[in-house]
Amino acid sequence: MPGLLYGGMGLAGKKKKSRKIKRYRKPLNLNIGMMIFVVIFIYVVVCVIMYFQTSHIVRYEVKEGSLATDTVYRGVALRDETVVYASTAGYVNYYAWDGSRVAQNDLVYIVDETGRLNEELESMHLGENSLSELELLEFRNEIANFVHSFEAAHYDSTYDFKYSLRNTVSKLANANILQSIEDLNAASGANIINRYYAPATGIVTYWNDGYESLTPQDVTEETFDETKYEKKWLTDNTLIAANDAVYKLSTNENWSVVIPVDPVRGAELQDEGYIKVRFLKNQYESWGAAKLLNNGDGNTYLQLTFTNSMVTFISDRFLDVELIVEDETGLKIPVSSIVQKEFFLIPEQFIIPGGNNGGDSIRKQTVLEDGTISSEALEVEVYYFDSENKEYYLDSSILDSGDTLYDADGEETYTVSKRATLTGVYNMNKGYADFKQITVLYENDEYAIVKPNTKYGLSVYDYIVLDAGTVRDDQFINQK
């Protein structure tokens, strides 16, 4: 029995020990295939990272094209305007149409000093009034012009339209009751109204804004601050005091629009003499004489003077105008491709034409190993020739400041020192970044128009580097 117990205990102990199971760790089996895969993976990751961190060279094909130099400006309209003031107080009634031409001594308005006019008219039977076809046409044109020219950015023009229509309606009504006023005077036995006539021939308008005496030389940046601008309409059937403004008279058909311009652009426009102008309000086009103004505020303005169409814009102080000048035509390239590069200037007599390959060459002074002075002929690439100063532009990579050059006869010498900068692009027709000089005729924010058919410049269908900042001189380029 003891033996059995001992044996049983031994078996139990063995069972306990057998429960401790250790996990077998499989050794990492590195083979050649796995190593190649890891290397390729790392290479791909590095290539992707380098791709996104490297500036890519993109080519651009040069083509003929043009850039429209039309520009929209907001200008202030200036005319010969005379404000007429009332000599007596009372209720004013207008008879001349707003924007109409009146002759000297034509009736413009009447003033009812007593206020009895409206009362008397209301008590009289004036009959039924109707508008003629001409009057209806005037209404239609006024509404159509407003709808066509309305812009949300200038919502205040809605109020101008409102007052203009109101005055038109009032003057139509006043014209129809003018005969009735004669009857009232006869019935009352007294003159209850005062009539006022135009002092000269001109265009009548019923608004003022304080800009009537403004001259082109007085225009400043503050003139265009429309947040401070206030236009006051002179409405019909209102009570006025003596010396109040009652209407305006414009007696000269000549008028002008003054716009703010960049000094350089303004000088170019003045050189044009006359500029074709499109008024955005109604798409009307006219020619204006251009004159550059340098006013007291330090800014530059362009005055465009017109000899017609003044009455068309008689109710406007600010106008949006588009200047229509000739389009610049030539080779069209992106502005991003343009670069500046420095060159040495070499006088004409030190450039020897007709090298071994048919190009130009120079004779450069050299010192031999034994210390004797000699010269060597070097073929050079000319990037530009200044015909006025008789100087060639040579790449600074083949010359150093202080080098001595000989003329063709070897009698005169020239020490290299003078430098200048050229504007150009990198041509990539030959598979490397080859600088080509250009003459920019006109440019905007995106494109430039380059003079075509120049000796050292570009030709149509050439390939250039789109972004000049992505290459360096003579860098080899893989064209795709």
Side-chain angles (χ1 to χ4, degrees):
M1 290 293 291
L4 292 171
L5 289 172
Y6 179 79
M9 290 176 64
L11 290 171
K14 287 180 179 178
K15 286 182 179 179
K16 256 184 178 180
K17 289 180 181 179
S18 64
R19 291 176 182 174
K20 295 181 179 180
I21 301 173
K22 293 183 179 179
R23 186 175 180 180
Y24 175 74
R25 293 184 179 179
K26 186 177 180 181
L28 182 62
N29 185 16
L30 291 176
N31 54 51
I32 188 67
M34 183 177 292
M35 293 178 65
I36 294 174
F37 174 78
V38 172
V39 171
I40 294 175
F41 178 77
I42 295 174
Y43 174 77
V44 171
V45 172
V46 172
C47 288
V48 170
I49 295 174
M50 291 179 63
Y51 177 83
F52 287 105
Q53 291 182 344
T54 304
S55 298
H56 303 288
I57 300 173
V58 181
R59 71 180 185 177
Y60 175 86
E61 184 180 11
V62 178
K63 296 181 180 179
E64 292 182 336
S66 64
L67 287 182
T69 57
D70 301 352
T71 309
V72 175
Y73 297 88
R74 188 157 178 83
V76 57
L78 304 178
R79 318 170 187 85
D80 289 336
E81 299 171 310
T82 301
V83 179
V84 179
Y85 298 92
S87 57
T88 57
Y91 291 89
V92 63
N93 291 271
Y94 296 116
Y95 285 90
W97 286 65
D98 185 43
S100 64
R101 181 178 295 276
V102 295
Q104 186 176 5
N105 296 324
D106 277 358
L107 177 64
V108 179
Y109 71 100
I110 64 173
V111 173
D112 175 16
E113 297 185 49
T114 64
R116 292 174 52 198
L117 178 61
N118 287 338
E119 297 176 3
E120 296 289 346
L121 290 176
E122 289 176 359
S123 64
M124 293 181 61
H125 179 68
L126 300 178
E128 184 176 329
N129 297 316
S130 61
L131 298 179
S132 65
E133 285 297 324
L134 182 62
E135 292 167 341
L136 285 174
L137 180 62
E138 185 73 23
F139 270 109
R140 294 192 192 102
N141 290 339
E142 195 166 356
I143 294 171
N145 287 337
F146 171 74
V147 171
H148 181 75
S149 62
F150 176 75
E151 293 182 5
H154 303 295
Y155 184 77
D156 54 346
S157 62
T158 306
Y159 298 100
D160 295 345
F161 177 62
K162 168 188 171 184
Y163 287 117
S164 179
L165 280 183
R166 178 185 295 178
N167 281 345
T168 300
V169 172
S170 297
K171 280 181 280 296
L172 285 174
N174 290 343
N176 289 332
I177 65 173
L178 189 58
Q179 182 59 45
S180 300
I181 294 175
E182 299 290 345
D183 298 337
L184 284 175
N185 285 337
S188 62
N191 187 13
I192 64 174
I193 64 166
N194 296 315
R195 300 170 184 241
Y196 294 93
Y197 303 90
T201 300
I203 307 299
V204 172
T205 52
Y206 300 108
W207 60 276
N208 63 359
D209 58 1
Y211 281 33
E212 286 79 15
S213 60
L214 190 70
T215 66
Q217 290 73 22
D218 296 330
V219 173
T220 63
E221 186 177 1
E222 188 177 359
T223 304
F224 297 91
D225 186 359
E226 296 185 51
T227 60
K228 299 179 181 178
Y229 176 77
E230 183 179 359
K231 184 177 184 178
K232 182 181 179 182
W233 281 90
L234 308 173
T235 56
D236 199 41
N237 295 321
T238 56
L239 181 63
I240 61 171
N243 297 321
D244 279 355
V246 67
Y247 72 93
K248 285 195 305 185
L249 190 65
S250 299
T251 58
N252 194 337
E253 185 66 21
N254 295 335
W255 65 295
S256 61
V257 176
V258 178
I259 59 175
V261 293
D262 176 82
V264 176
R265 183 60 178 155
E268 294 174 352
L269 293 171
Q270 180 177 239
D271 291 341
E272 294 283 337
Y274 285 84
I275 304 295
K276 190 175 184 180
V277 179
R278 177 183 294 120
F279 296 90
L280 300 190
K281 177 180 179 179
N282 57 3
Q283 302 302 306
Y284 177 82
E285 294 181 358
S286 183
W287 289 87
K291 179 182 178 181
L292 197 62
L293 304 173
N294 295 303
N295 291 351
D297 64 343
N299 295 321
T300 305
Y301 304 91
L302 189 71
Q303 178 186 2
L304 299 166
T305 303
F306 305 92
T307 59
N308 54 30
S309 67
M310 186 269 290
V311 65
T312 306
F313 307 101
I314 193 67
S315 297
D316 300 294
R317 180 62 70 191
F318 295 98
L319 288 167
D320 292 318
V321 297
E322 182 180 8
L323 308 188
I324 307 173
V325 296
E326 291 185 4
D327 295 347
E328 298 288 358
T329 303
L331 303 180
K332 187 175 182 179
I333 64 172
V335 172
S336 60
S337 64
I338 299 176
V339 67
Q340 304 287 329
K341 186 178 177 181
E342 192 175 56
F343 295 87
F344 281 116
L345 297 182
I346 308 300
E348 182 180 20
Q349 63 266 33
F350 295 94
I351 301 296
I352 304 171
N356 294 332
N357 296 322
D360 299 319
S361 62
I362 58 174
R363 289 182 63 188
K364 179 181 176 183
Q365 185 185 87
T366 60
V367 179
L368 301 179
E369 293 182 357
D370 59 1
T372 59
I373 297 177
S374 181
S375 65
E376 62 175 333
L378 298 174
E379 289 203 10
V380 295
E381 181 179 359
V382 174
Y383 288 87
Y384 181 66
F385 176 64
D386 185 350
S387 58
E388 182 177 351
N389 297 316
K390 304 298 182 182
E391 293 176 322
Y392 283 89
Y393 284 69
L394 299 187
D395 194 348
S396 58
S397 64
I398 63 171
L399 292 173
D400 291 316
S401 186
D403 286 347
T404 300
L405 303 181
Y406 295 101
D407 64 3
D409 299 327
E411 297 178 355
E412 294 186 26
T413 61
Y414 175 76
T415 302
V416 177
S417 62
K418 190 176 179 181
R419 295 173 180 263
T421 301
L422 286 178
T423 300
V425 297
Y426 286 116
N427 188 306
M428 52 190 295
N429 290 348
K430 301 177 181 179
Y432 62 92
D434 183 21
F435 182 89
K436 293 292 184 181
Q437 182 268 344
I438 60 173
T439 301
V440 177
L441 299 176
Y442 179 75
E443 67 178 283
N444 57 25
D445 293 337
E446 296 181 357
Y447 290 94
I449 296 299
V450 175
K451 186 177 181 180
N453 304 322
T454 57
K455 183 176 181 180
Y456 303 102
L458 293 175
S459 299
V460 66
Y461 306 126
D462 279 349
Y463 285 104
I464 62 174
V465 177
L466 178 63
D467 185 358
T470 60
V471 297
R472 61 184 183 276
D473 288 335
D474 299 325
Q475 176 182 340
F476 285 99
I477 302 171
N478 292 324
Q479 301 188 44
K480 297 181 180 180

